[in-house]
Amino acid sequence: RDGLRLSGLDGAAVFLGKATAVALQLLVLEVVLAACVVVFYGIELNTLVPLILATLAATVGVAATGTLYGVLAAGLRVRETLVPVLLLPVVAPVLLGATRSWEAAIDGVPSDAWPWVGLLGVFALLFTAIGMLAFLSVAVRGESGQTPDVPPPRALDVAADLARQRVTAGVVMCW
């Protein structure tokens, strides 16, 4: 948390970077799973547009929500247990919407998929906006719940600290 606070980076940029990393990992997993489903179950994908849009919107929604809730629980001892308990009820509309849109598109009735794709898009935009607005204030709160007053770091001091951390991490990894 101190490194994040001292970096001088915009909270929205940090949030977007973390959410993008999660979204890319999810997309790779989704592509592999979708290919396996098509091959093993012999499904014909006639309408790709609703499938692709639903997949992208659901991925962005889950990544943004997971990133935000992960930061909320980051300082707690029970974070590994608490994050899924908090996250599952919130992403339930995404799971439902993605399932229904895929079902409608695979059944050959893509017009039934569009309302669900719209729901997924609204969810993704909503949680991305909330995360961008609230991320830095949530991420840098101390144990007391107050945002500490930290003077802005000088660029050279931050660069030197980062270089020391990387060298230390490299030595530890080689050891």
Side-chain angles (χ1 to χ4, degrees), residues 144-172:
S144 65
Q146 299 295 323
T147 304
D149 295 325
V150 177
R154 294 184 310 194
L156 292 177
D157 292 340
V158 172
D161 287 341
L162 287 174
R164 271 184 289 213
Q165 289 174 358
R166 288 187 179 155
V167 167
T168 303
V171 168
V172 169

Side-chain angles (χ1 to χ4, degrees), residues 7-64:
S7 68
L9 296 173
D10 183 34
V14 174
F15 171 78
L16 288 176
K18 288 178 177 264
T20 301
V22 171
L24 288 176
Q25 291 175 359
L26 285 173
L27 277 174
V28 168
L29 178 66
E30 290 166 359
V31 166
V32 169
L33 288 176
C36 289
V37 165
V38 167
V39 169
F40 291 136
Y41 292 110
I43 296 173
E44 293 184 26
L45 300 177
N46 299 325
T47 55
L48 290 178
V49 175
L51 294 177
I52 292 171
L53 291 178
T55 301
L56 291 176
T59 302
V60 170
V62 169

Side-chain angles (χ1 to χ4, degrees), residues 72-87:
L72 286 173
L76 304 175
R77 289 184 183 176
V78 293
R79 66 181 167 263
E80 290 85 10
T81 307
L82 188 61
V83 171
V85 170
L86 292 175
L87 193 61

Side-chain angles (χ1 to χ4, degrees), residues 100-161:
R100 295 295 179 159
S101 62
W102 267 74
E103 179 184 20
I106 288 174
D107 286 344
V109 188
S111 61
D112 290 346
W114 292 114
W116 295 107
V117 173
L119 172 74
L120 293 170
V122 167
F123 189 91
L125 287 174
L126 178 71
F127 272 93
T128 301
I130 289 171
M132 288 175 64
L133 293 173
F135 187 76
L136 190 59
S137 64
V138 169
V140 299
R141 294 227 182 259
E143 296 300 322
S144 65
Q146 299 295 323
T147 304
D149 295 325
V150 177
R154 294 184 310 194
L156 292 177
D157 292 340
V158 172
D161 287 341

